[in-house]
Amino acid sequence: MTDSKTPAPGPVLGIESSCDETGVAVYEPGRGLLAHALYSQIALHAEYGGVVPELASRDHVRKLLPLLRQTLADAELKVSDLAAVAYTAGPGLIGALLVGASVARSLAWALEVPAIAIHHMEGHLLAPLLEEPAPGTEPLAPPFVALLVSGGHSMLVAVDKIGSYAILGDTLDDAAGEAFDKTAKLMGLPYPGGPALARIAETGNPKAFRFSRPMTDRPGLDFSFSGLKTQVLLAWRDSDHAESTKANIARGFEEAIVETLAIKCRRALARTGYKRLVVSGGVGANKRLRAQLAAAGQQEGFQTYFPRLAFCTDNGAMIALAGSIRLAAGQTTGPEIRVLPRWDLQSLAGLETGDSGLGRAVPA
Ligand code: KG4
Ligand code: ZN
């Protein structure tokens, strides 16, 4: 989906609309993130217990232009200041993707600037570059391993250079976020289940329920979480349904997922020999997962990189950032409005130089 043009440096607008968040942001190499705005459709979908695709598309239509105006105003920019417009072209819900892609492509055409189609998971993968490195930590640079855990994906990715991604492990059934959401739902927790389940797990006893750590007893880096969900279903069905039991089951489930992910991360680092681990995607906002991996990194000598909580879940900042990197590499997208609801991360074009072209990132 790319062709090569000479990039013009300057602020890049990023638009995210792949699922139930409308995100808009502006990122400029050398200056960092200038502004970002997000509208979450959680309340709209809550009564259905999950995302209703057609409602999602319509809400993106309602919210995208107001958010765009707000973001430009916050960045103190005019629309004519934009050097390029990046947008999530996939994977995701086709109608929702088309809203962002149509607005982005039309705006780029009107402004006569490049448009850049971004893979949603590349956005998640690069999101830690929006942060200043922690004191005493080297800035994030390839090679590294990325654990991408969201509502739709659970992947371990080897990143030799930016843009060049090899999937080391994937889920065979439910994604980690999906497992959180479905498990939460069966215990009557509100949508979206991940954060709700993590919240009640805080008060749970980690020793009350022990669920299995799926696929850790054999070699390999793939995941499978649907059996874990069934174990919780049986435990919940046979329980007294007390709030304290619910919290204990939630804690046992969270421990199982976190430990499983941590075991596979260690294996991926051992297999590649890399010393850096990126954790991103909605489940990357899970505090226990972050704490466990950060502690493992300190003990075992690898460095961990997380986006701030708000940039773990879907957002426009990661798309503006990925757009800036692709623009600096001269990779822009043709005039067609095309989205890819299914899109293999490994099919992306790598950056020839390995240079992100970002300069110093200054978080907003
Ligand atoms: O990346 P994201 O916003 O959207 C997708 O691309 O899927 O991820 C959303 C997923 C949901 O499944 C949500 O329940 C999960 O991330 N999630 C969490 C937490 N916050 C969000 N799961 C566990 N713990 C959390 N704190
Ligand atoms: Zn996502």
Side-chain angles (χ1 to χ4, degrees):
M1 293 188 65
T2 56
D3 57 18
S4 279
K5 288 193 187 117
T6 311
V12 174
L13 184 75
I15 296 178
E16 158 63 34
S17 71
S18 65
C19 190
D20 59 345
E21 327 273 351
T22 319
V24 182
V26 184
Y27 187 94
E28 184 169 357
R31 293 181 69 200
L33 187 62
L34 303 184
H36 63 98
L38 185 80
Y39 177 79
S40 171
Q41 303 178 354
I42 282 174
L44 176 72
H45 301 291
E47 67 173 292
Y48 305 99
V51 178
V52 182
E54 183 52 26
L55 294 183
S57 314
R58 291 184 205 183
D59 217 40
H60 287 306
V61 170
R62 270 193 290 272
K63 292 298 184 321
L64 190 46
L65 292 182
L67 278 185
L68 211 155
R69 286 191 197 99
Q70 183 193 325
T71 307
L72 289 173
D74 290 350
E76 297 180 357
L77 292 174
K78 299 185 295 295
V79 72
S80 55
D81 294 326
L82 295 173
V85 185
Y87 60 96
T88 303
L93 302 170
I94 187 163
L97 288 167
L98 274 168
V99 178
S102 308
V103 169
R105 197 65 204 78
S106 312
L107 186 59
W109 185 81
L111 296 172
E112 298 184 7
V113 298
I116 308 155
I118 296 297
H119 191 294
H120 181 78
M121 299 313 288
E122 179 174 59
H124 278 307
L125 194 150
L126 298 176
L129 288 169
L130 291 162
E131 312 302 342
E132 285 287 4
T137 308
E138 286 172 37
L140 174 63
F144 59 85
V145 167
L147 173 70
L148 302 181
V149 271
S150 68
H153 294 87
S154 293
M155 291 194 281
L156 277 161
V157 184
V159 182
D160 298 334
K161 57 180 183 176
I162 291 179
S164 169
Y165 308 123
I167 296 176
L168 303 171
D170 209 338
T171 183
L172 303 181
D173 40 58
D174 293 347
E178 194 178 358
F180 265 98
D181 293 341
K182 287 179 175 171
T183 303
K185 195 172 180 176
L186 69 87
M187 291 199 292
L189 291 169
Y191 164 87
L197 190 147
R199 217 166 16 251
I200 68 157
E202 296 280 334
T203 59
N205 173 0
K207 301 218 161 63
F209 288 86
R210 185 180 163 87
F211 300 111
S212 62
R213 277 58 174 154
M215 297 186 62
T216 54
D217 57 350
R218 68 197 90 160
L221 293 167
D222 286 333
F223 305 101
S224 166
F225 292 119
S226 72
L228 196 52
K229 180 188 63 198
T230 310
Q231 287 178 32
V232 171
L233 176 68
L234 298 177
W236 176 243
R237 194 193 62 187
D238 298 338
S239 80
D240 58 6
H241 288 198
E243 284 305 307
S244 57
T245 310
K246 193 187 277 189
N248 289 344
I249 293 178
R251 182 65 187 267
F253 170 82
E254 190 185 47
E255 293 275 336
I257 292 244
V258 166
E259 198 178 317
T260 304
L261 294 174
I263 291 169
K264 299 282 170 140
C265 285
R266 282 198 200 91
R267 274 189 200 168
L269 290 163
R271 185 190 287 185
T272 54
Y274 298 164
K275 296 282 180 216
R276 297 185 181 124
L277 176 69
V278 158
V279 182
S280 192
V283 182
N286 184 279
K287 292 196 183 122
R288 212 169 295 283
L289 178 66
R290 294 166 85 99
Q292 186 153 331
L293 287 172
Q298 278 184 353
Q299 278 162 19
E300 296 163 35
F302 61 86
Q303 191 62 56
T304 45
Y305 297 86
F306 307 95
R308 73 192 84 167
L309 296 183
F311 293 162
C312 278
T313 43
D314 292 349
N315 64 86
M318 65 185 194
I319 303 304
L321 170 84
S324 296
I325 293 173
R326 294 259 166 213
L327 182 71
Q331 293 180 0
T332 60
T333 305
E336 75 282 1
I337 296 175
R338 191 155 77 97
V339 296
L340 296 165
R342 297 172 76 86
W343 188 2
D344 181 2
L345 184 64
Q346 298 179 121
S347 69
L348 299 189
L351 268 53
E352 289 311 316
T353 59
D355 173 14
S356 74
L358 286 181
R360 213 180 88 86
V362 183

